[in-house]
Amino acid sequence: MSWPSRLFAFLTLTILATATLTAQPPRKLPEALTQMIDAERAFAARALVVGWKQAFLEYFADDAVGFEGGPGLAKEQIRKNPDPPSDLLLLWEPRYGDVAASGDLGYLTGPVRNIRKSRDNGRPRHSTYASIWKRQRDGSFKVVMDFGLGTPGPASFAPGFTRAPVGNRFSGDYDETTPPLSAADGVLNSGLRTHQADGYRGRLASGVRFLRPNAAPVVGARAALRWLATQRPYSAIDARFAESARSGDLGYTWGSYATGPAQKPTQQGFYVRVWQRERNGQWNVVMDVLQPSE
């Protein structure tokens, strides 16, 4: 049996054993969330067979957006990448996320290991992925956005799969008077040009996750506000797109950002946020990702 085949067999047995012993108990997951998790796991398994490039082309929606070289169709950007080395293994699994009540839109995140036998004596490189999934016309789930951000070491997640807290979520049972998601994104961006912690304050879900390149995820509203107090305001940050689920309780936005002097930014790129709507109509951020331009 080849080295990749032995590793794949070992990892499959390990994942199955871990899922049996540590899968999240009592609360049953919504069927749509289970379908989305199964799709992500099938996606990861497929990448071990045909390589990440082909698997991405199979599991991404035709209208999925990528930011490699600027915003555009993700599949076109993926096709321009060279084929991955034959000894490269990209291993990931969903550990946290949620789906809208209408079952048409959701997000997942989890740890990633990038392994090559010919590199670093086979020691893995670690990262965290975040993906946004949307149900297609044929009923299947496909990725509409996907990110991988390097981390200094293995990212910490609770055993098994954990659903994001849903206790006070919007259910459409009141007369709506609040602005749409696009307006919430714009208001937040206005505040972030002055002070990040003040801008996000009052707009974070309790289990919010901030994902930044080459850093461990910042998890939880309290930890996030402490961390945000150390971050400089954005010199520019502008919304480009917003989409919410049919049930109005979950959505995502993306746009461009820059830090540092306007004439010579120290960093620029794109942000993506996943939002959860509370029962009172307030949109709160549940995941916030930065993708710097190359």
Side-chain angles (χ1 to χ4, degrees):
M1 184 182 289
S2 67
W3 176 78
S5 298
R6 290 197 303 271
L7 181 57
F8 174 65
F10 170 75
L11 289 168
T12 300
L13 291 172
T14 301
I15 290 169
L16 287 174
T18 301
T20 300
L21 293 172
T22 62
Q24 177 177 305
R27 194 166 47 139
K28 184 179 180 181
L29 299 178
E31 181 180 356
L33 181 54
T34 298
Q35 292 171 352
M36 200 169 68
I37 293 168
D38 288 345
E40 183 82 79
R41 288 173 175 160
F43 178 15
R46 181 65 174 160
L48 292 174
V49 177
V50 299
W52 70 262
K53 181 177 178 179
Q54 180 59 36
F56 277 40
L57 291 173
E58 292 177 13
Y59 280 85
F60 275 44
D62 290 339
D63 59 352
V65 174
F67 299 114
E68 194 171 333
L73 291 176
K75 283 189 171 183
E76 291 183 1
Q77 296 173 357
I78 292 167
R79 289 189 180 100
K80 293 178 182 178
N81 278 281
D83 292 337
S86 59
D87 66 338
L88 172 65
L89 294 176
L90 197 60
L91 309 162
W92 75 92
E93 59 176 315
R95 302 290 289 277
Y96 186 88
D98 202 7
V99 71
S102 49
D104 57 331
L105 190 69
Y107 69 98
L108 295 168
T109 183
V112 183
R113 287 169 293 168
N114 181 318
I115 302 173
R116 289 188 67 183
K117 185 180 179 181
S118 60
R119 182 192 64 201
D120 301 331
N121 294 318
R123 290 191 300 272
R125 294 180 180 178
H126 297 278
S127 57
T128 302
Y129 85 89
S131 58
I132 300 173
W133 292 76
K134 186 176 179 181
R135 194 181 293 278
Q136 305 299 295
R137 289 185 177 182
D138 64 1
S140 66
F141 274 104
K142 295 281 188 179
V143 175
V144 293
M145 281 196 163
D146 182 85
F147 302 91
L149 296 100
T151 54
S156 177
F157 286 88
F161 182 86
T162 301
R163 186 186 182 191
V166 295
N168 197 36
R169 180 172 301 184
F170 172 74
S171 59
D173 56 357
Y174 79 107
D175 183 25
E176 182 179 351
T177 58
T178 54
L181 178 55
S182 57
D185 199 47
V187 170
L188 173 56
N189 286 341
S190 295
L192 297 182
R193 297 186 189 102
T194 303
H195 193 280
Q196 286 209 44
D198 289 347
Y200 278 107
R201 197 181 309 278
R203 295 184 174 88
L204 298 178
S206 60
V208 65
R209 290 172 176 262
F210 280 82
L211 306 183
R212 298 295 187 262
N214 305 313
V218 180
V219 180
R222 290 184 181 180
L225 288 172
R226 288 195 299 269
W227 171 75
L228 287 164
T230 69
Q231 304 299 299
R232 293 182 178 180
Y234 292 97
S235 54
I237 185 162
D238 300 290
R240 300 275 194 97
F241 181 85
E243 181 178 17
S244 55
R246 292 194 308 272
S247 48
D249 61 331
L250 197 73
Y252 71 100
T253 58
W254 66 266
S256 58
Y257 77 90
T259 59
Q263 296 78 12
K264 192 176 181 181
T266 54
Q267 187 185 99
Q268 54 189 340
F270 301 91
Y271 72 85
V272 175
R273 299 185 187 119
V274 180
W275 299 75
Q276 175 181 297
R277 200 179 207 172
E278 305 300 324
R279 188 172 297 278
N280 64 1
Q282 167 84 25
W283 284 102
N284 285 337
V285 178
V286 293
M287 190 160 65
D288 192 293
V289 184
L290 287 192
Q291 179 72 61
S293 300
E294 295 297 335

